[in-house]
Amino acid sequence: MAASDDQVRAAYRVLARRLHPDLADAPADRRQAEAAMGSVNEAWRVLSDRGRRSAYDLARRPPEPAVRPPPGDEA
């Protein structure tokens, strides 16, 4: 997906508001929110930096199939 920087920032802010640990009441909910927020922050760390984002995109790209000549073609 080719999201713009503004789209990535907006998505991060929505998730951060929804998952922030300060909004959790119970200790178990808070621990779960801290783990979720950690994942969101790590995604933001990668996606907000153009170099890291490019490296991530390249790593996630499926390998291109090897092009082989048809059998019997000894050129």
Short mmCIF file of all heavy atoms in Angstrom, two decimals:
data_model
loop_
_atom_site.label_atom_id
_atom_site.label_comp_id
_atom_site.label_asym_id
_atom_site.label_seq_id
_atom_site.Cartn_x
_atom_site.Cartn_y
_atom_site.Cartn_z
N MET A 1 0.85 -1.18 0.00
CA MET A 1 0.00 0.00 0.00
C MET A 1 0.88 1.23 0.00
O MET A 1 1.88 1.31 0.70
CB MET A 1 -0.90 -0.03 1.23
CG MET A 1 -1.80 1.14 1.33
SD MET A 1 -2.84 0.94 2.78
CE MET A 1 -3.82 2.36 2.59
N ALA A 2 0.52 2.21 -0.75
CA ALA A 2 1.31 3.42 -0.88
C ALA A 2 0.61 4.56 -0.14
O ALA A 2 -0.01 5.42 -0.75
CB ALA A 2 1.51 3.75 -2.35
N ALA A 3 0.73 4.57 1.16
CA ALA A 3 0.11 5.63 1.96
C ALA A 3 1.03 6.84 2.01
O ALA A 3 2.25 6.70 2.07
CB ALA A 3 -0.16 5.13 3.37
N SER A 4 0.44 8.01 2.00
CA SER A 4 1.22 9.24 2.11
C SER A 4 1.68 9.42 3.56
O SER A 4 1.19 8.77 4.47
CB SER A 4 0.39 10.43 1.67
OG SER A 4 -0.62 10.71 2.62
N ASP A 5 2.64 10.33 3.74
CA ASP A 5 3.11 10.63 5.10
C ASP A 5 1.96 11.12 5.97
O ASP A 5 1.88 10.77 7.15
CB ASP A 5 4.22 11.68 5.05
CG ASP A 5 5.51 11.15 4.42
OD1 ASP A 5 5.65 9.92 4.30
OD2 ASP A 5 6.36 11.97 4.05
N ASP A 6 1.09 11.93 5.40
CA ASP A 6 -0.05 12.45 6.17
C ASP A 6 -1.02 11.33 6.57
O ASP A 6 -1.56 11.34 7.67
CB ASP A 6 -0.80 13.53 5.38
CG ASP A 6 0.00 14.81 5.25
OD1 ASP A 6 0.88 15.06 6.11
OD2 ASP A 6 -0.25 15.57 4.29
N GLN A 7 -1.23 10.37 5.68
CA GLN A 7 -2.11 9.25 6.00
C GLN A 7 -1.52 8.37 7.11
O GLN A 7 -2.24 7.93 8.00
CB GLN A 7 -2.37 8.40 4.76
CG GLN A 7 -3.24 9.08 3.73
CD GLN A 7 -3.30 8.29 2.44
OE1 GLN A 7 -2.30 7.78 1.96
NE2 GLN A 7 -4.50 8.20 1.86
N VAL A 8 -0.22 8.16 7.06
CA VAL A 8 0.44 7.37 8.09
C VAL A 8 0.34 8.09 9.43
O VAL A 8 0.02 7.49 10.46
CB VAL A 8 1.91 7.09 7.72
CG1 VAL A 8 2.67 6.46 8.88
CG2 VAL A 8 1.99 6.21 6.50
N ARG A 9 0.60 9.39 9.44
CA ARG A 9 0.53 10.18 10.66
C ARG A 9 -0.88 10.16 11.24
O ARG A 9 -1.08 9.98 12.45
CB ARG A 9 0.96 11.62 10.41
CG ARG A 9 1.00 12.48 11.65
CD ARG A 9 1.45 13.90 11.39
NE ARG A 9 2.75 13.96 10.72
CZ ARG A 9 2.93 14.33 9.45
NH1 ARG A 9 1.90 14.67 8.69
NH2 ARG A 9 4.12 14.35 8.92
N ALA A 10 -1.88 10.31 10.38
CA ALA A 10 -3.27 10.31 10.84
C ALA A 10 -3.65 8.95 11.43
O ALA A 10 -4.30 8.88 12.48
CB ALA A 10 -4.21 10.68 9.70
N ALA A 11 -3.23 7.88 10.79
CA ALA A 11 -3.54 6.54 11.30
C ALA A 11 -2.86 6.31 12.64
O ALA A 11 -3.46 5.73 13.56
CB ALA A 11 -3.11 5.48 10.29
N TYR A 12 -1.62 6.77 12.77
CA TYR A 12 -0.92 6.63 14.04
C TYR A 12 -1.66 7.38 15.15
O TYR A 12 -1.87 6.84 16.24
CB TYR A 12 0.51 7.16 13.93
CG TYR A 12 1.18 7.32 15.28
CD1 TYR A 12 1.65 6.21 15.97
CD2 TYR A 12 1.31 8.56 15.87
CE1 TYR A 12 2.22 6.34 17.22
CE2 TYR A 12 1.89 8.70 17.12
CZ TYR A 12 2.35 7.58 17.78
OH TYR A 12 2.92 7.71 19.02
N ARG A 13 -2.07 8.58 14.88
CA ARG A 13 -2.74 9.39 15.90
C ARG A 13 -4.06 8.76 16.34
O ARG A 13 -4.40 8.76 17.52
CB ARG A 13 -2.94 10.80 15.40
CG ARG A 13 -1.59 11.53 15.24
CD ARG A 13 -1.79 12.90 14.76
NE ARG A 13 -2.48 13.64 15.82
CZ ARG A 13 -2.31 14.90 16.09
NH1 ARG A 13 -1.49 15.61 15.36
NH2 ARG A 13 -2.98 15.48 17.06
N VAL A 14 -4.81 8.20 15.39
CA VAL A 14 -6.08 7.54 15.72
C VAL A 14 -5.81 6.35 16.65
O VAL A 14 -6.47 6.18 17.68
CB VAL A 14 -6.82 7.09 14.44
CG1 VAL A 14 -7.94 6.12 14.76
CG2 VAL A 14 -7.35 8.30 13.69
N LEU A 15 -4.82 5.51 16.28
CA LEU A 15 -4.52 4.34 17.11
C LEU A 15 -3.96 4.75 18.47
O LEU A 15 -4.30 4.14 19.48
CB LEU A 15 -3.52 3.44 16.38
CG LEU A 15 -4.08 2.64 15.22
CD1 LEU A 15 -2.97 1.92 14.48
CD2 LEU A 15 -5.12 1.65 15.72
N ALA A 16 -3.12 5.77 18.51
CA ALA A 16 -2.55 6.22 19.78
C ALA A 16 -3.64 6.72 20.72
O ALA A 16 -3.61 6.43 21.92
CB ALA A 16 -1.51 7.31 19.53
N ARG A 17 -4.61 7.44 20.19
CA ARG A 17 -5.71 7.91 21.03
C ARG A 17 -6.57 6.76 21.55
O ARG A 17 -7.02 6.76 22.68
CB ARG A 17 -6.60 8.88 20.24
CG ARG A 17 -6.10 10.28 20.26
CD ARG A 17 -7.14 11.24 19.68
NE ARG A 17 -6.43 12.23 18.89
CZ ARG A 17 -6.50 12.36 17.57
NH1 ARG A 17 -7.28 11.58 16.87
NH2 ARG A 17 -5.80 13.27 16.95
N ARG A 18 -6.79 5.76 20.70
CA ARG A 18 -7.65 4.65 21.08
C ARG A 18 -6.96 3.67 22.03
O ARG A 18 -7.60 3.12 22.92
CB ARG A 18 -8.10 3.91 19.82
CG ARG A 18 -9.13 2.84 20.12
CD ARG A 18 -9.69 2.22 18.90
NE ARG A 18 -8.62 1.60 18.13
CZ ARG A 18 -8.77 1.10 16.92
NH1 ARG A 18 -9.91 1.17 16.31
NH2 ARG A 18 -7.77 0.54 16.29
N LEU A 19 -5.65 3.46 21.86
CA LEU A 19 -4.96 2.41 22.60
C LEU A 19 -4.10 2.92 23.76
O LEU A 19 -3.45 2.11 24.42
CB LEU A 19 -4.07 1.62 21.64
CG LEU A 19 -4.79 0.89 20.51
CD1 LEU A 19 -3.78 0.29 19.54
CD2 LEU A 19 -5.72 -0.16 21.05
N HIS A 20 -4.08 4.19 24.01
CA HIS A 20 -3.17 4.74 25.02
C HIS A 20 -3.43 4.11 26.40
O HIS A 20 -4.57 4.00 26.84
CB HIS A 20 -3.31 6.26 25.11
CG HIS A 20 -2.13 6.89 25.74
ND1 HIS A 20 -1.93 6.91 27.10
CD2 HIS A 20 -1.05 7.47 25.18
CE1 HIS A 20 -0.79 7.51 27.35
NE2 HIS A 20 -0.22 7.85 26.21
N PRO A 21 -2.36 3.67 27.08
CA PRO A 21 -2.52 3.00 28.38
C PRO A 21 -3.19 3.86 29.45
O PRO A 21 -3.80 3.32 30.38
CB PRO A 21 -1.08 2.65 28.79
CG PRO A 21 -0.31 2.67 27.53
CD PRO A 21 -0.98 3.64 26.62
N ASP A 22 -3.08 5.16 29.37
CA ASP A 22 -3.70 6.02 30.37
C ASP A 22 -5.23 5.92 30.36
O ASP A 22 -5.88 6.31 31.33
CB ASP A 22 -3.29 7.48 30.17
CG ASP A 22 -1.85 7.72 30.56
OD1 ASP A 22 -1.24 6.83 31.19
OD2 ASP A 22 -1.31 8.79 30.23
N LEU A 23 -5.79 5.39 29.30
CA LEU A 23 -7.25 5.26 29.20
C LEU A 23 -7.76 3.97 29.83
O LEU A 23 -8.97 3.81 30.01
CB LEU A 23 -7.68 5.33 27.74
CG LEU A 23 -7.33 6.62 27.00
CD1 LEU A 23 -7.73 6.51 25.53
CD2 LEU A 23 -8.00 7.81 27.66
N ALA A 24 -6.85 3.06 30.16
CA ALA A 24 -7.26 1.77 30.73
C ALA A 24 -7.48 1.90 32.23
O ALA A 24 -6.73 2.57 32.93
CB ALA A 24 -6.19 0.72 30.44
N ASP A 25 -8.53 1.26 32.72
CA ASP A 25 -8.86 1.31 34.14
C ASP A 25 -8.21 0.17 34.93
O ASP A 25 -7.54 0.39 35.93
CB ASP A 25 -10.38 1.26 34.34
CG ASP A 25 -11.05 2.50 33.78
OD1 ASP A 25 -10.43 3.57 33.79
OD2 ASP A 25 -12.21 2.37 33.33
N ALA A 26 -8.42 -1.04 34.48
CA ALA A 26 -7.91 -2.22 35.20
C ALA A 26 -6.44 -2.46 34.88
O ALA A 26 -5.99 -2.17 33.76
CB ALA A 26 -8.73 -3.44 34.82
N PRO A 27 -5.67 -2.98 35.83
CA PRO A 27 -4.24 -3.24 35.59
C PRO A 27 -4.00 -4.20 34.41
O PRO A 27 -3.07 -4.00 33.64
CB PRO A 27 -3.76 -3.87 36.91
CG PRO A 27 -4.71 -3.37 37.93
CD PRO A 27 -6.03 -3.21 37.23
N ALA A 28 -4.86 -5.21 34.27
CA ALA A 28 -4.69 -6.14 33.15
C ALA A 28 -4.93 -5.42 31.82
O ALA A 28 -4.21 -5.65 30.85
CB ALA A 28 -5.64 -7.32 33.29
N ASP A 29 -5.93 -4.57 31.79
CA ASP A 29 -6.21 -3.80 30.57
C ASP A 29 -5.07 -2.85 30.27
O ASP A 29 -4.73 -2.62 29.12
CB ASP A 29 -7.51 -3.01 30.72
CG ASP A 29 -8.74 -3.90 30.79
OD1 ASP A 29 -8.63 -5.08 30.37
OD2 ASP A 29 -9.79 -3.43 31.27
N ARG A 30 -4.48 -2.27 31.31
CA ARG A 30 -3.37 -1.34 31.13
C ARG A 30 -2.16 -2.07 30.53
O ARG A 30 -1.51 -1.55 29.63
CB ARG A 30 -3.00 -0.69 32.45
CG ARG A 30 -1.94 0.38 32.31
CD ARG A 30 -1.73 1.12 33.62
NE ARG A 30 -0.76 2.15 33.46
CZ ARG A 30 -1.02 3.39 33.07
NH1 ARG A 30 -2.26 3.74 32.81
NH2 ARG A 30 -0.07 4.28 32.94
N ARG A 31 -1.86 -3.27 31.02
CA ARG A 31 -0.73 -4.03 30.47
C ARG A 31 -0.98 -4.37 29.00
O ARG A 31 -0.07 -4.28 28.18
CB ARG A 31 -0.51 -5.30 31.28
CG ARG A 31 0.19 -5.06 32.60
CD ARG A 31 0.62 -6.37 33.25
NE ARG A 31 -0.52 -7.21 33.61
CZ ARG A 31 -1.21 -7.11 34.74
NH1 ARG A 31 -0.87 -6.21 35.63
NH2 ARG A 31 -2.21 -7.93 34.99
N GLN A 32 -2.20 -4.73 28.70
CA GLN A 32 -2.54 -5.04 27.31
C GLN A 32 -2.42 -3.78 26.44
O GLN A 32 -1.91 -3.84 25.32
CB GLN A 32 -3.96 -5.59 27.26
CG GLN A 32 -4.31 -6.26 25.98
CD GLN A 32 -5.67 -6.95 26.07
OE1 GLN A 32 -6.47 -6.69 26.97
NE2 GLN A 32 -5.94 -7.84 25.13
N ALA A 33 -2.85 -2.65 26.96
CA ALA A 33 -2.76 -1.40 26.22
C ALA A 33 -1.31 -0.98 26.04
O ALA A 33 -0.94 -0.44 24.99
CB ALA A 33 -3.54 -0.30 26.95
N GLU A 34 -0.46 -1.21 27.06
CA GLU A 34 0.95 -0.87 26.92
C GLU A 34 1.61 -1.69 25.83
O GLU A 34 2.42 -1.18 25.05
CB GLU A 34 1.67 -1.10 28.26
CG GLU A 34 1.35 -0.05 29.29
CD GLU A 34 1.87 -0.38 30.67
OE1 GLU A 34 2.34 -1.52 30.90
OE2 GLU A 34 1.79 0.51 31.55
N ALA A 35 1.27 -2.98 25.74
CA ALA A 35 1.82 -3.83 24.69
C ALA A 35 1.35 -3.37 23.32
O ALA A 35 2.14 -3.29 22.37
CB ALA A 35 1.43 -5.29 24.94
N ALA A 36 0.06 -3.07 23.20
CA ALA A 36 -0.48 -2.61 21.92
C ALA A 36 0.14 -1.28 21.52
O ALA A 36 0.51 -1.07 20.36
CB ALA A 36 -2.00 -2.48 22.01
N MET A 37 0.29 -0.38 22.50
CA MET A 37 0.87 0.93 22.20
C MET A 37 2.34 0.79 21.80
O MET A 37 2.83 1.52 20.94
CB MET A 37 0.72 1.85 23.42
CG MET A 37 0.95 3.29 23.12
SD MET A 37 -0.33 3.93 22.03
CE MET A 37 0.56 5.30 21.35
N GLY A 38 3.03 -0.18 22.40
CA GLY A 38 4.42 -0.44 22.00
C GLY A 38 4.51 -0.85 20.55
O GLY A 38 5.41 -0.41 19.82
N SER A 39 3.58 -1.68 20.10
CA SER A 39 3.56 -2.09 18.70
C SER A 39 3.26 -0.91 17.78
O SER A 39 3.87 -0.76 16.72
CB SER A 39 2.51 -3.18 18.48
OG SER A 39 2.84 -4.34 19.20
N VAL A 40 2.32 -0.08 18.19
CA VAL A 40 1.96 1.09 17.39
C VAL A 40 3.16 2.05 17.31
O VAL A 40 3.47 2.59 16.25
CB VAL A 40 0.72 1.80 17.98
CG1 VAL A 40 0.49 3.16 17.33
CG2 VAL A 40 -0.50 0.92 17.83
N ASN A 41 3.84 2.25 18.42
CA ASN A 41 5.00 3.14 18.42
C ASN A 41 6.14 2.60 17.56
O ASN A 41 6.83 3.37 16.89
CB ASN A 41 5.49 3.38 19.85
CG ASN A 41 4.60 4.34 20.60
OD1 ASN A 41 3.94 5.19 20.02
ND2 ASN A 41 4.57 4.20 21.91
N GLU A 42 6.34 1.29 17.57
CA GLU A 42 7.38 0.70 16.73
C GLU A 42 7.02 0.87 15.25
O GLU A 42 7.89 1.20 14.43
CB GLU A 42 7.57 -0.78 17.07
CG GLU A 42 8.58 -1.49 16.19
CD GLU A 42 9.98 -0.92 16.26
OE1 GLU A 42 10.32 -0.20 17.22
OE2 GLU A 42 10.77 -1.20 15.33
N ALA A 43 5.77 0.66 14.91
CA ALA A 43 5.34 0.88 13.53
C ALA A 43 5.55 2.34 13.13
O ALA A 43 6.03 2.63 12.03
CB ALA A 43 3.88 0.49 13.36
N TRP A 44 5.23 3.25 14.02
CA TRP A 44 5.43 4.68 13.75
C TRP A 44 6.91 4.98 13.56
O TRP A 44 7.30 5.75 12.67
CB TRP A 44 4.84 5.53 14.87
CG TRP A 44 5.18 6.98 14.75
CD1 TRP A 44 5.99 7.70 15.57
CD2 TRP A 44 4.72 7.89 13.76
NE1 TRP A 44 6.07 8.99 15.14
CE2 TRP A 44 5.30 9.14 14.03
CE3 TRP A 44 3.88 7.77 12.66
CZ2 TRP A 44 5.07 10.26 13.24
CZ3 TRP A 44 3.65 8.89 11.87
CH2 TRP A 44 4.23 10.11 12.17
N ARG A 45 7.77 4.36 14.38
CA ARG A 45 9.22 4.60 14.27
C ARG A 45 9.71 4.21 12.88
O ARG A 45 10.52 4.92 12.27
CB ARG A 45 9.95 3.79 15.33
CG ARG A 45 11.45 4.08 15.41
CD ARG A 45 12.13 3.18 16.43
NE ARG A 45 12.24 1.81 15.97
CZ ARG A 45 13.18 1.38 15.11
NH1 ARG A 45 14.05 2.21 14.61
NH2 ARG A 45 13.22 0.11 14.76
N VAL A 46 9.21 3.11 12.36
CA VAL A 46 9.64 2.64 11.04
C VAL A 46 8.98 3.45 9.92
O VAL A 46 9.65 3.94 9.01
CB VAL A 46 9.31 1.14 10.86
CG1 VAL A 46 9.56 0.69 9.43
CG2 VAL A 46 10.13 0.31 11.84
N LEU A 47 7.67 3.62 9.99
CA LEU A 47 6.94 4.23 8.88
C LEU A 47 7.10 5.74 8.79
O LEU A 47 6.90 6.31 7.72
CB LEU A 47 5.46 3.86 8.97
CG LEU A 47 5.17 2.37 8.85
CD1 LEU A 47 3.69 2.10 9.04
CD2 LEU A 47 5.66 1.81 7.53
N SER A 48 7.48 6.39 9.87
CA SER A 48 7.63 7.85 9.82
C SER A 48 8.96 8.27 9.24
O SER A 48 9.14 9.42 8.86
CB SER A 48 7.46 8.45 11.21
OG SER A 48 8.52 8.03 12.06
N ASP A 49 9.92 7.35 9.14
CA ASP A 49 11.24 7.65 8.59
C ASP A 49 11.30 7.09 7.17
O ASP A 49 11.13 5.89 6.96
CB ASP A 49 12.30 7.00 9.48
CG ASP A 49 13.70 7.26 8.98
OD1 ASP A 49 14.15 6.49 8.11
OD2 ASP A 49 14.34 8.21 9.47
N ARG A 50 11.57 7.95 6.20
CA ARG A 50 11.53 7.51 4.80
C ARG A 50 12.53 6.39 4.49
O ARG A 50 12.23 5.46 3.75
CB ARG A 50 11.76 8.69 3.87
CG ARG A 50 10.58 9.60 3.79
CD ARG A 50 10.84 10.74 2.81
NE ARG A 50 9.73 11.66 2.86
CZ ARG A 50 8.93 11.88 1.82
NH1 ARG A 50 9.15 11.25 0.70
NH2 ARG A 50 7.94 12.72 1.93
N GLY A 51 13.71 6.46 5.07
CA GLY A 51 14.72 5.42 4.84
C GLY A 51 14.29 4.09 5.42
O GLY A 51 14.40 3.04 4.76
N ARG A 52 13.82 4.11 6.65
CA ARG A 52 13.35 2.87 7.28
C ARG A 52 12.13 2.32 6.56
O ARG A 52 11.97 1.10 6.41
CB ARG A 52 13.00 3.10 8.75
CG ARG A 52 14.19 3.30 9.63
CD ARG A 52 13.75 3.43 11.07
NE ARG A 52 14.89 3.71 11.92
CZ ARG A 52 14.89 4.61 12.87
NH1 ARG A 52 13.81 5.32 13.11
NH2 ARG A 52 15.96 4.80 13.59
N ARG A 53 11.26 3.20 6.13
CA ARG A 53 10.05 2.76 5.43
C ARG A 53 10.41 2.09 4.11
O ARG A 53 9.85 1.05 3.76
CB ARG A 53 9.13 3.95 5.20
CG ARG A 53 7.80 3.59 4.61
CD ARG A 53 6.92 4.81 4.55
NE ARG A 53 5.64 4.51 4.00
CZ ARG A 53 4.68 5.39 3.82
NH1 ARG A 53 4.86 6.64 4.21
NH2 ARG A 53 3.54 5.04 3.30
N SER A 54 11.36 2.66 3.37
CA SER A 54 11.80 2.04 2.11
C SER A 54 12.41 0.67 2.36
O SER A 54 12.13 -0.29 1.62
CB SER A 54 12.82 2.94 1.41
OG SER A 54 12.21 4.12 0.98
N ALA A 55 13.24 0.56 3.39
CA ALA A 55 13.86 -0.73 3.72
C ALA A 55 12.79 -1.75 4.10
O ALA A 55 12.86 -2.92 3.70
CB ALA A 55 14.87 -0.55 4.85
N TYR A 56 11.80 -1.32 4.87
CA TYR A 56 10.70 -2.21 5.26
C TYR A 56 9.93 -2.67 4.02
O TYR A 56 9.64 -3.86 3.87
CB TYR A 56 9.77 -1.49 6.23
CG TYR A 56 8.57 -2.30 6.63
CD1 TYR A 56 8.65 -3.26 7.64
CD2 TYR A 56 7.33 -2.13 5.99
CE1 TYR A 56 7.55 -4.02 8.00
CE2 TYR A 56 6.24 -2.89 6.36
CZ TYR A 56 6.35 -3.82 7.36
OH TYR A 56 5.26 -4.58 7.71
N ASP A 57 9.61 -1.75 3.13
CA ASP A 57 8.88 -2.11 1.92
C ASP A 57 9.66 -3.10 1.07
O ASP A 57 9.09 -4.05 0.54
CB ASP A 57 8.55 -0.86 1.10
CG ASP A 57 7.48 0.00 1.73
OD1 ASP A 57 6.76 -0.49 2.63
OD2 ASP A 57 7.37 1.19 1.34
N LEU A 58 10.97 -2.89 0.94
CA LEU A 58 11.80 -3.82 0.16
C LEU A 58 11.84 -5.20 0.81
O LEU A 58 11.80 -6.22 0.11
CB LEU A 58 13.21 -3.27 0.01
CG LEU A 58 13.38 -2.13 -0.99
CD1 LEU A 58 14.81 -1.61 -0.94
CD2 LEU A 58 13.04 -2.60 -2.40
N ALA A 59 11.92 -5.24 2.12
CA ALA A 59 11.98 -6.53 2.82
C ALA A 59 10.66 -7.28 2.69
O ALA A 59 10.65 -8.52 2.70
CB ALA A 59 12.32 -6.31 4.29
N ARG A 60 9.55 -6.59 2.60
CA ARG A 60 8.23 -7.22 2.52
C ARG A 60 7.83 -7.58 1.09
O ARG A 60 6.85 -8.28 0.89
CB ARG A 60 7.17 -6.29 3.11
CG ARG A 60 7.41 -5.90 4.55
CD ARG A 60 7.17 -7.02 5.50
NE ARG A 60 5.78 -7.42 5.39
CZ ARG A 60 5.29 -8.52 5.92
NH1 ARG A 60 6.05 -9.32 6.59
NH2 ARG A 60 4.02 -8.81 5.77
N ARG A 61 8.56 -7.08 0.11
CA ARG A 61 8.22 -7.35 -1.29
C ARG A 61 8.49 -8.82 -1.60
O ARG A 61 9.54 -9.35 -1.27
CB ARG A 61 9.07 -6.46 -2.19
CG ARG A 61 8.75 -6.63 -3.67
CD ARG A 61 9.56 -5.73 -4.53
NE ARG A 61 9.21 -4.35 -4.21
CZ ARG A 61 9.97 -3.31 -4.53
NH1 ARG A 61 11.10 -3.49 -5.15
NH2 ARG A 61 9.59 -2.10 -4.21
N PRO A 62 7.55 -9.49 -2.27
CA PRO A 62 7.79 -10.90 -2.61
C PRO A 62 8.93 -11.00 -3.63
O PRO A 62 9.10 -10.11 -4.46
CB PRO A 62 6.46 -11.37 -3.21
CG PRO A 62 5.71 -10.14 -3.55
CD PRO A 62 6.25 -9.02 -2.71
N PRO A 63 9.71 -12.06 -3.57
CA PRO A 63 10.81 -12.20 -4.53
C PRO A 63 10.27 -12.37 -5.94
O PRO A 63 9.22 -12.97 -6.16
CB PRO A 63 11.54 -13.46 -4.06
CG PRO A 63 10.54 -14.20 -3.25
CD PRO A 63 9.60 -13.19 -2.67
N GLU A 64 11.01 -11.80 -6.85
CA GLU A 64 10.61 -11.93 -8.26
C GLU A 64 11.02 -13.31 -8.75
O GLU A 64 12.10 -13.80 -8.41
CB GLU A 64 11.27 -10.84 -9.10
CG GLU A 64 10.78 -9.45 -8.73
CD GLU A 64 11.34 -8.38 -9.64
OE1 GLU A 64 11.77 -8.71 -10.75
OE2 GLU A 64 11.34 -7.23 -9.22
N PRO A 65 10.16 -13.94 -9.55
CA PRO A 65 10.51 -15.28 -10.04
C PRO A 65 11.72 -15.22 -10.97
O PRO A 65 11.91 -14.25 -11.70
CB PRO A 65 9.25 -15.73 -10.78
CG PRO A 65 8.52 -14.49 -11.10
CD PRO A 65 8.90 -13.47 -10.05
N ALA A 66 12.54 -16.25 -10.89
CA ALA A 66 13.71 -16.32 -11.76
C ALA A 66 13.26 -16.57 -13.19
O ALA A 66 12.37 -17.38 -13.45
CB ALA A 66 14.63 -17.43 -11.29
N VAL A 67 13.84 -15.85 -14.11
CA VAL A 67 13.51 -16.02 -15.51
C VAL A 67 14.47 -17.03 -16.09
O VAL A 67 15.69 -16.85 -16.07
CB VAL A 67 13.62 -14.68 -16.28
CG1 VAL A 67 13.32 -14.87 -17.74
CG2 VAL A 67 12.69 -13.65 -15.66
N ARG A 68 13.91 -18.12 -16.61
CA ARG A 68 14.73 -19.18 -17.18
C ARG A 68 14.35 -19.35 -18.65
O ARG A 68 13.19 -19.23 -19.01
CB ARG A 68 14.50 -20.48 -16.44
CG ARG A 68 14.91 -20.41 -15.01
CD ARG A 68 14.71 -21.72 -14.33
NE ARG A 68 15.07 -21.60 -12.93
CZ ARG A 68 14.82 -22.50 -12.02
NH1 ARG A 68 14.22 -23.63 -12.36
NH2 ARG A 68 15.18 -22.33 -10.78
N PRO A 69 15.33 -19.66 -19.46
CA PRO A 69 15.01 -19.90 -20.87
C PRO A 69 14.21 -21.20 -20.99
O PRO A 69 14.35 -22.10 -20.16
CB PRO A 69 16.38 -20.03 -21.55
CG PRO A 69 17.32 -20.36 -20.45
CD PRO A 69 16.75 -19.77 -19.19
N PRO A 70 13.37 -21.27 -21.99
CA PRO A 70 12.59 -22.50 -22.19
C PRO A 70 13.53 -23.69 -22.46
O PRO A 70 14.62 -23.52 -22.98
CB PRO A 70 11.72 -22.21 -23.40
CG PRO A 70 12.09 -20.88 -23.90
CD PRO A 70 13.10 -20.28 -22.99
N PRO A 71 13.09 -24.90 -22.10
CA PRO A 71 13.94 -26.08 -22.36
C PRO A 71 14.22 -26.25 -23.85
O PRO A 71 13.37 -25.96 -24.69
CB PRO A 71 13.11 -27.25 -21.85
CG PRO A 71 11.92 -26.68 -21.18
CD PRO A 71 11.85 -25.23 -21.49
N GLY A 72 15.44 -26.64 -24.16
CA GLY A 72 15.82 -26.85 -25.55
C GLY A 72 16.34 -25.59 -26.21
O GLY A 72 16.81 -25.62 -27.33
N ASP A 73 16.27 -24.47 -25.54
CA ASP A 73 16.78 -23.21 -26.09
C ASP A 73 18.18 -22.98 -25.54
O ASP A 73 18.35 -22.50 -24.43
CB ASP A 73 15.85 -22.05 -25.70
CG ASP A 73 16.18 -20.76 -26.43
OD1 ASP A 73 16.93 -20.82 -27.43
OD2 ASP A 73 15.68 -19.72 -25.99
N GLU A 74 19.19 -23.35 -26.30
CA GLU A 74 20.59 -23.28 -25.85
C GLU A 74 21.28 -22.04 -26.37
O GLU A 74 22.46 -22.07 -26.64
CB GLU A 74 21.34 -24.55 -26.31
CG GLU A 74 20.74 -25.83 -25.80
CD GLU A 74 20.98 -26.01 -24.32
OE1 GLU A 74 22.02 -25.56 -23.81
OE2 GLU A 74 20.09 -26.59 -23.66
N ALA A 75 20.61 -20.95 -26.47
CA ALA A 75 21.21 -19.75 -27.04
C ALA A 75 22.18 -19.09 -26.12
O ALA A 75 22.27 -19.07 -25.00
CB ALA A 75 20.12 -18.76 -27.42
#
